[in-house]
Amino acid sequence: MPQTQLRLPRLTLFDDENFRGRSRVFRGNVAIRNVERIFDEPESLRFRSNGRGATLVLFSRNNFKGAFRIIRVSRSIADVERIIGFDFEANSIIMTSRRLTLQQVLNIRRTGKLPSGIF
């Protein structure tokens, strides 16, 4: 499949800084309540957006709890802790091809439930 036809959004997690070490790729709409169950702590990441409002949300705790960071544009982060915040670990992740509003993210954090029609 030509690279331009790869399904977006796409998230690649790396277990070492600077995009090194073991990696895992996720495509489309993804909700991971506990990252450690499927991948060690991500130290770096690459997010590719479709340019139409895709959203990546990184939460500091499992089950979409704790501090969070919203990323809406394609971005490569070589050191998650340094760029996103000291001692910030991405312990749960939501990635969707739709734009999630701040209010929707706050509701997800409060209830642990994902908006209907997105996943």
Side-chain angles (χ1 to χ4, degrees), residues 48-112:
R48 296 294 172 250
S49 170
N50 57 9
R52 293 180 224 126
T55 305
L56 172 66
V57 186
L58 307 172
F59 293 88
S60 64
R61 294 179 43 212
N62 292 339
N63 297 311
F64 316 126
K65 303 291 183 193
F68 62 87
R69 301 294 181 267
I70 299 172
I71 300 170
R72 297 191 197 284
V73 297
S74 292
R75 186 162 180 198
S76 295
I77 301 175
D79 183 349
V80 172
E81 285 184 10
R82 184 169 161 241
I83 297 299
I84 295 183
F86 180 71
D87 288 336
F88 186 94
E89 296 178 11
N91 287 309
S92 53
I93 296 171
I94 296 172
M95 179 176 65
T96 177
S97 58
R98 293 188 178 174
R99 181 178 182 85
L100 289 178
T101 66
L102 176 59
Q103 188 59 49
Q104 286 175 307
V105 173
L106 291 170
N107 285 339
I108 293 168
R109 184 174 69 172
R110 183 177 51 80
T111 66

Side-chain angles (χ1 to χ4, degrees), residues 1-31:
M1 174 183 301
Q3 194 166 12
T4 57
Q5 293 180 8
L6 291 177
R7 198 167 95 195
L8 295 176
R10 184 176 71 238
L11 175 66
T12 307
L13 302 176
F14 299 87
D15 65 2
D16 287 330
E17 294 173 1
N18 299 311
F19 319 109
R20 294 185 320 234
R22 192 170 59 97
S23 66
R24 177 116 188 236
V25 177
F26 300 90
R27 291 181 176 87
N29 297 333
V30 176

Side-chain angles (χ1 to χ4, degrees), residues 37-55:
R37 285 189 177 174
I38 60 172
F39 192 84
D40 292 334
E41 176 186 339
E43 296 291 336
S44 56
L45 64 84
R46 285 195 171 111
F47 174 61
R48 296 294 172 250
S49 170
N50 57 9
R52 293 180 224 126
T55 305

